[in-house]
Amino acid sequence: MRKTMTGLVAGVGLMWACGTSAQAQELTIFWAEWDPANYLQELANEYEAETGVKVTVETTPWADFQTKAFTEFNAKGSAYDLVVGDSQWIGAASEAGHYVDLTDFFTKHNLTQVMAPATVKYYSEYPANSKKYWSIPAEGDAVGWSYRKDWFEDPKEMEAFKAKYGYDLAPPKTWAQMRDIAEFFHRPDQKRYGIAIYTDNSYDGLVMGVENAIFSFGGELGDYQNYKVDGIINSEKNVKALELYRELYGFTPPGWAKSFFVENNQAITENLAAMSMNYFAFFPALVNEASNPNAKVTGFFANPAGPNGEQFAALGGQGISVISYSKNQEEAMKFLEWFIKDETQKRWAELGGYTASAKVLESPEFQNATPYNKAFYETMFKVKDFWATPEYAELLIQANQRIYPFVTAGQGTAKEALDALAADWNATFKKYGRNK
Amino acid sequence: MATAVMISLDTKSRAASRGMSDIHIRNLFIIPTILFLIVFNIFPLIYSLGYSFTDFRASSNAPANFVGLQNYRELLNDPFIWSNFAITAKYVIVSVTGQVIVGFGTAMLLNRDIPLKGLLTTLLLLPMMLSMAVVGLFWKLLYDPSFGIINYTLGLGSFEWLSNPDVALYAVAITDIWMWSPFVMLLSLAGLSAVPKHLYEAAAIDRAGPFYTFFRITLPLVAPILMIAIIFRTMEAFKTFDLAYILTSQPTTEVISIRLYKMAFQEWQTGRSCALAYIVLIMILAITNIYVKYLNKVKER
């Protein structure tokens, strides 16, 4: 009987030990449904081959991503161990305790030096300049442009353009040139249009699009240190930038008032527009002949400069964070340690992911790997982002409510729209006790 | 009444003779159903009512603070919310009126002796059997200014239905009319087939014109069932979300449900969105009550 009991206890102990170990052999990463998530799964498969830890990248459509992620966080659910969350989420997720503090991890691995400075600033640090880090820069991304090389390089077009505008037709170096080129190629009677820009106002599409103009015109959204917005978001520079964005909307294909990354790639693949705005993460589809019949004649350029030569772009991309409610936090940290290794970052870039590793980004190997990597490299060192405060969603919705009617329907003026937005943002910051 | 209840619970009832008493039936079916309703309907309803008086945000770990009527006060003073209500009201009026005209008109046509009447009725019912998401995507293609069949058929060139803020709401309403007119048609057909034939015969003997016959016989007799269709469709149109959300993102089509969704699940203003949900609920109840009172008056006539 004693032997039986000892055996039983030992068996149960062994089962418990095996159970715990088996539990830690699996990790789930939550991300949006797009190509980089597939590349991450490929990378994770290599991690499994190396360590035996199975990593599943679970995805959901972009439209649901925020809602689904925060619903799980709010329920303190442990369905996911890591999340590749949007840069704007960092304030809301860290203040609510959904993300594990990675400051020690950051310091230990000297990540402020390893990763490109802008990616650390926008994907990882919150509050700004606090030296507290909540994510590891994972998918670097920013807005860039694709264009139809065959249209631009057609001798007849070049001649006609020079005759009309007095300078050579080439990928635009400034927003003013971009406006001219968009106007030049806008030919509704031929079903050819000048430009495709972001207009969708259901999340951050339109706002990111407008940010490209605002930042390059030398403007800002506000003072991120003290939450001052009046005189900044409605500055003269921002008014000019918004007016130009509205003007560009006039050169988009018909029905372009709810367009985001899918439609903007279609503008190139379906011969609709001469130039198209999109995140670099969506460019692989444009160099693939299976998804773009115009792949051979598609070129790329970085966001052009504003009237004073300043050149910035809206940040996309995400950092990877450990979720506080994960039961496999230790294992998740091991994965992150593997993820930040130079050779892993190199492999990540080879697979198609946009590494944030400064070393890899600077390498000629990376910059020559695709027709757009050089433009991506240049852009990643001059990116700026939206507010990352916990109430970012309210700020985003208010921006959409004020800017959208002006851009797509010409209601009111740019000054009126931005003045109203300044008042909205001011009231929101006041409500949350940030701007006293 | 009490006797009736006693009789229904009598263990010697017919159910009892089949091997299951009324008490067993109550325990097995009625009590679980009531419990289910309490847990999944009543409890969340009361819980959300509680939240509507707090500043609770589901996305933060902060506790809910009681703020009294502040959420209600702020919402009722918010011009954006009133604009959302105005858009919803406009949508409800256009959409329900359209459905009644098209649905009742089609029912009048189908109420005659026409060939393939059964097949036609079945085909006309198809739109309301489709999913809202499918209908939304389908009509988005139809409205497309570049390759949509609507502009091509009507010769409208590249007219923008969904991008034009002045037209977008009507475009959504047209889709809703297409989808739900068959529902009104179905109920109207039931009402029309119940009108006694001898009334029309008497009207014909009296040489009453079609206008007189319609307004003095058809409409009054079909009115109660038509009112039921209007009540259902008004409630549904007031809550509409999918079609407007899928078809367009114009501020002029942001009906109150979309605003509520954004407030609750994008901004995570849980307390405030609960308050808005209650305001919407009270409005729907008030409108429905007006309709029901009118329906009762119509029935009494």
Side-chain angles (χ1 to χ4, degrees):
Chain A
M1 184 64 186
R2 199 175 156 189
K3 266 189 183 173
T4 316
M5 282 304 288
T6 314
L8 204 67
V9 169
V12 169
L14 192 67
M15 271 172 68
W16 178 77
C18 290
T20 311
S21 137
Q23 241 184 358
Q25 297 298 304
E26 283 192 23
L27 286 174
T28 305
I29 304 175
F30 189 49
W31 203 358
E33 195 178 281
W34 62 333
D35 284 344
N38 302 331
Y39 309 147
L40 184 64
Q41 183 63 73
E42 282 184 55
L43 190 73
N45 293 344
E46 292 177 16
Y47 181 70
E48 186 184 357
E50 212 176 299
T51 63
V53 177
K54 185 176 167 55
V55 182
T56 308
V57 180
E58 200 177 306
T59 60
T60 192
W62 271 107
D64 295 337
F65 185 38
Q66 183 195 221
T67 311
K68 202 168 171 188
F70 273 84
T71 305
E72 183 66 14
F73 298 161
N74 298 341
K76 297 185 170 45
S78 59
Y80 314 120
D81 303 299
L82 298 127
V83 64
V84 191
D86 250 356
S87 54
Q88 301 99 294
W89 298 2
I90 203 162
S94 60
E95 282 199 11
H98 302 320
Y99 285 173
V100 170
D101 185 347
L102 296 175
T103 309
D104 291 343
F105 185 92
F106 240 80
T107 315
K108 186 181 164 193
H109 297 285
N110 199 22
L111 287 181
T112 47
Q113 303 301 314
V114 171
M115 302 293 177
T119 65
V120 173
K121 184 177 176 185
Y122 294 115
Y123 299 142
S124 308
E125 192 178 29
Y126 184 82
N129 301 324
S130 64
K131 309 270 181 237
K132 281 185 83 71
Y133 304 98
W134 305 91
S135 300
I136 308 300
E139 169 75 5
D141 200 4
V143 171
W145 296 82
S146 56
Y147 73 101
R148 288 295 297 268
K149 276 200 287 189
D150 52 340
W151 296 11
F152 274 59
E153 290 166 7
D154 183 327
K156 279 183 191 166
E157 300 286 10
M158 290 173 84
E159 197 185 328
F161 184 85
K162 180 120 189 205
K164 189 173 179 189
Y165 297 97
Y167 60 95
D168 289 332
L169 176 61
K173 296 265 181 270
T174 65
W175 276 74
Q177 287 181 4
M178 191 154 71
R179 184 231 160 265
D180 289 346
I181 299 169
E183 182 188 53
F184 177 71
F185 280 114
H186 190 68
R187 299 159 196 176
D189 50 326
Q190 295 172 24
K191 294 210 182 278
R192 267 192 184 192
Y193 306 92
I195 197 165
I197 54 174
Y198 285 166
T199 55
D200 183 55
N201 64 350
S202 46
Y203 184 47
D204 63 356
L206 173 72
V207 175
M208 298 292 141
V210 172
E211 275 179 6
N212 287 305
I214 283 180
F215 294 149
S216 292
F217 270 65
E220 295 284 350
L221 302 184
D223 185 334
Y224 291 178
Q225 299 297 317
N226 58 22
Y227 301 95
K228 183 179 175 334
V229 288
D230 203 25
I232 302 177
I233 183 64
N234 50 351
S235 67
E236 193 54 36
K237 285 174 182 172
N238 288 8
V239 169
K240 294 274 179 232
L242 188 59
E243 279 170 351
L244 184 50
Y245 202 80
R246 155 79 189 149
E247 207 177 340
L248 287 178
Y249 177 74
F251 305 127
T252 59
W256 213 251
K258 194 182 167 121
S259 304
F260 202 8
F261 49 86
V262 175
E263 293 81 6
N264 277 22
N265 264 9
Q266 281 173 348
I268 293 293
T269 60
E270 291 171 17
N271 307 309
L272 279 174
M275 298 172 285
S276 177
M277 167 191 275
N278 222 338
Y279 287 116
F280 280 92
F282 297 103
F283 287 167
L286 293 183
V287 290
N288 182 349
E289 282 184 49
S291 50
N292 180 15
N294 304 311
K296 282 186 183 154
V297 290
T298 302
F300 302 90
F301 60 90
N303 196 39
N308 301 318
E310 284 161 295
Q311 193 178 12
F312 292 96
L315 181 85
Q318 296 85 23
I320 185 166
S321 304
V322 179
I323 296 168
S324 308
Y325 320 111
S326 158
K327 287 175 182 152
N328 305 314
Q329 285 185 24
E330 209 177 305
E331 201 63 62
M333 297 299 266
K334 281 184 196 163
F335 175 79
L336 290 184
E337 276 188 20
W338 177 82
F339 182 71
I340 57 164
K341 282 182 182 174
D342 283 351
E343 56 269 32
T344 312
Q345 286 295 310
K346 204 175 153 206
R347 182 74 186 124
W348 174 225
E350 281 168 6
L351 286 168
Y354 276 119
T355 175
S357 159
K359 202 171 166 184
V360 180
L361 284 173
E362 281 159 9
S363 70
E365 202 183 340
F366 171 80
Q367 289 180 32
N368 298 323
T370 70
Y372 44 79
N373 271 13
K374 191 157 187 336
F376 173 75
Y377 162 76
E378 287 166 2
T379 309
M380 280 315 284
F381 287 86
K382 47 197 176 193
V383 285
K384 292 185 180 183
D385 200 12
F386 192 71
W387 299 94
T389 44
E391 56 278 2
Y392 78 91
E394 282 172 68
L395 303 172
L396 201 55
I397 286 171
Q398 286 162 346
N400 279 324
Q401 276 170 334
R402 295 299 185 184
I403 294 172
Y404 187 85
F406 170 70
V407 171
T408 62
Q411 286 175 7
T413 65
K415 178 90 175 93
E416 284 165 1
L418 293 176
D419 281 346
L421 181 58
D424 289 347
W425 279 4
N426 215 22
T428 303
F429 286 135
K430 208 167 184 177
K431 186 168 94 179
Y432 292 102
R434 297 187 193 281
N435 174 11
K436 284 163 188 152
Chain B
M1 189 65 189
T3 323
V5 172
M6 289 307 288
I7 289 167
S8 71
L9 291 177
D10 183 2
T11 50
K12 286 177 184 171
S13 68
R14 266 190 280 175
S17 67
R18 284 201 297 270
M20 190 181 272
S21 70
D22 285 346
I23 290 170
H24 277 123
I25 289 170
R26 183 196 67 186
N27 292 345
L28 265 175
F29 299 110
I30 299 170
I31 292 179
T33 308
I34 289 170
L35 282 176
F36 186 87
L37 278 173
I38 289 170
V39 172
F40 292 102
N41 281 8
I42 313 291
F43 175 70
L45 204 67
I46 295 166
Y47 208 73
S48 60
L49 180 66
Y51 271 144
S52 75
F53 301 109
T54 69
D55 62 356
F56 183 60
R57 294 172 70 86
S59 62
S60 81
N61 269 335
N65 298 310
F66 182 75
V67 293
L69 290 171
Q70 188 187 320
N71 288 330
Y72 290 91
R73 207 168 39 239
E74 281 177 4
L75 284 168
L76 294 172
N77 284 313
D78 184 342
F80 275 120
I81 295 293
W82 282 110
S83 139
N84 296 132
F85 274 122
I87 291 165
T88 312
K90 194 171 161 187
Y91 175 76
V92 171
I93 292 167
V94 174
S95 176
V96 177
T97 310
Q99 284 163 34
V100 170
I101 294 170
V102 175
F104 191 67
T106 319
M108 289 284 286
L109 290 173
L110 286 173
N111 198 38
R112 295 153 184 259
D113 288 327
I114 49 168
L116 300 172
K117 189 175 159 180
L119 181 69
L120 265 177
T121 312
T122 312
L123 287 176
L124 285 169
L125 289 177
L126 282 178
M128 72 173 197
M129 292 171 189
L130 298 171
S131 120
M132 281 279 202
V134 172
V135 171
L137 292 171
F138 174 59
W139 275 80
K140 204 173 172 184
L141 292 173
L142 295 181
Y143 281 132
D144 192 282
S146 300
F147 51 82
I149 200 164
I150 292 178
N151 281 3
Y152 178 76
T153 314
L154 301 176
L156 292 174
S158 56
F159 181 76
E160 297 187 9
W161 289 89
L162 302 171
S163 307
N164 185 337
D166 300 327
V167 180
L169 189 73
Y170 297 104
V172 180
I174 289 169
T175 310
D176 199 48
I177 292 167
W178 175 83
M179 190 172 181
W180 290 108
S181 292
F183 175 77
V184 180
M185 179 196 84
L186 198 65
L187 287 189
S188 305
L189 263 179
L192 287 170
S193 60
V195 178
K197 291 274 181 291
H198 65 85
L199 292 176
Y200 291 118
E201 286 160 10
I205 292 164
D206 290 344
R207 292 189 179 179
F211 191 79
Y212 185 90
T213 313
F214 176 76
F215 282 102
R216 289 302 174 104
I217 300 172
T218 313
L219 200 56
L221 288 171
V222 179
I225 207 156
L226 204 55
M227 275 305 292
I228 290 169
I230 292 171
I231 291 171
F232 280 131
R233 287 313 311 147
T234 303
M235 283 162 69
E236 285 296 317
F238 205 93
K239 294 187 297 181
T240 205
F241 175 86
D242 336 39
L243 275 185
Y245 196 74
I246 292 164
L247 278 170
T248 170
S249 56
Q250 288 290 340
T252 52
T253 60
E254 193 176 275
V255 288
I256 197 68
S257 307
I258 294 180
R259 183 74 204 99
L260 182 56
Y261 166 77
K262 284 183 178 173
M263 197 183 279
F265 300 109
Q266 289 186 350
E267 300 174 10
W268 292 105
Q269 300 195 67
T270 315
R272 206 160 184 245
S273 57
C274 285
L276 181 56
Y278 269 91
I279 294 172
V280 173
L281 178 73
I282 290 164
M283 284 193 170
I284 293 180
L285 284 176
I287 295 166
T288 314
N289 254 330
I290 296 168
Y291 277 149
V292 171
K293 273 189 182 165
Y294 186 70
L295 175 67
N296 288 337
K297 271 187 188 170
V298 169
K299 273 184 175 174
E300 281 165 15
R301 267 187 228 151

